[in-house]
Amino acid sequence: MKDELDDIIKGCQRKKYRYQKKLYDRYASLLYAICFRYFKNIDDANDALQEGFIKIYDKIEAYRGEGSFEGWIKKVQVNICLMQLRKNKRTYALEDEVIDESYAEEEQDDNFYSIEPQVLFTMIKELSDGYRTVFNMYVLDGYSHKEISEYLSISEGTSKSQLARAKKTLREQLINKMKK
């Protein structure tokens, strides 16, 4: 399996279409899931996926086998999604306000991993662009608030606030679903 991936990477580094197709077939569904988390619109998710593979094929020579290849391509795809959001001016009116820190700490104790994945995915899609982006970056992609603030050009406090509000909104959606 590792040898096969190494062959695919080397073939892509030589710009061989056959290997690029193998790479696409192997990782398209994984990367599409990332795109679809960031975009509500299927066309936007498809555009981001295409841009992601173009960037991966273009920059694959820079991958030297250090660290996980899957982690590397996921990071490339997330960066493409974030650039697309900025390019399309689907920026979110993220206000530079900090919420009560005790509230932020309380919110961090929530465990959204116990919810059925499809239910959580649907709920996340209903979040505003700002809440969804920060939630995805922090909870699902593992970025720190500092990294999020740098990527999105917002303060760390705003990142924490958006995450807390996203979790609160998700919690309210879940409670409403349970009442039905």
Side-chain angles (χ1 to χ4, degrees):
M1 188 83 158
K2 174 87 169 111
D3 290 337
E4 180 185 356
L5 179 58
D6 288 341
D7 289 342
I8 292 171
I9 293 169
K10 288 176 185 169
C12 288
Q13 289 173 333
R14 293 189 313 268
K15 308 284 188 215
K16 300 293 183 183
Y17 173 77
R18 177 172 68 123
Y19 291 99
Q20 290 174 336
K21 171 94 171 79
K22 286 183 180 186
L23 184 74
Y24 180 88
D25 291 343
R26 187 172 187 156
Y27 290 107
S29 61
L30 172 72
L31 298 182
Y32 185 71
I34 291 170
C35 296
F36 206 62
R37 282 195 338 247
Y38 281 92
F39 298 99
K40 291 181 181 179
N41 181 310
I42 292 172
D43 291 335
D44 291 339
N46 286 333
D47 288 347
L49 178 67
Q50 181 178 355
E51 289 297 318
F53 271 104
I54 290 169
K55 181 65 86 175
I56 290 166
Y57 296 147
D58 188 47
K59 299 295 182 187
I60 199 164
E61 292 173 4
Y63 180 74
R64 300 286 176 222
E66 300 165 3
S68 161
F69 180 73
E70 187 172 300
W72 182 79
I73 63 171
K74 283 179 176 180
K75 188 161 191 137
V76 169
Q77 188 63 67
V78 168
N79 287 335
I80 291 296
C81 289
L82 296 174
M83 286 188 327
Q84 293 285 94
L85 284 168
R86 284 191 296 266
K87 183 176 113 182
N88 294 336
K89 297 195 191 292
R90 291 214 184 110
T91 53
Y92 10 78
L94 294 175
E95 299 159 10
D96 245 353
E97 59 184 81
V98 181
I99 58 170
D100 178 14
E101 290 299 322
S102 61
Y103 177 67
E105 291 302 316
E106 176 185 312
E107 294 297 321
Q108 304 238 345
D109 293 337
D110 287 345
N111 188 355
F112 288 101
Y113 297 103
S114 64
I115 301 169
E116 285 185 49
Q118 191 56 41
V119 172
L120 180 59
F121 179 73
T122 302
M123 291 168 45
I124 292 170
K125 295 299 283 178
E126 294 172 9
L127 293 172
S128 69
D129 288 345
Y131 290 4
R132 188 177 62 252
T133 301
V134 172
F135 183 87
N136 282 329
M137 291 181 75
Y138 187 85
V139 175
L140 302 175
D141 295 325
Y143 287 90
S144 69
H145 287 295
K146 181 177 169 101
E147 292 169 316
I148 294 169
S149 72
E150 291 169 0
Y151 274 105
L152 301 180
S153 300
I154 59 174
S155 72
E156 286 183 54
T158 299
S159 176
K160 290 176 184 178
S161 173
Q162 295 294 296
L163 177 63
R165 290 177 182 170
K167 286 182 174 183
K168 180 181 179 197
T169 301
L170 290 171
R171 185 181 314 102
E172 289 169 355
Q173 288 177 359
L174 185 60
I175 290 168
N176 287 337
K177 287 186 186 300
M178 294 171 126
K179 287 180 182 178
K180 291 180 181 180

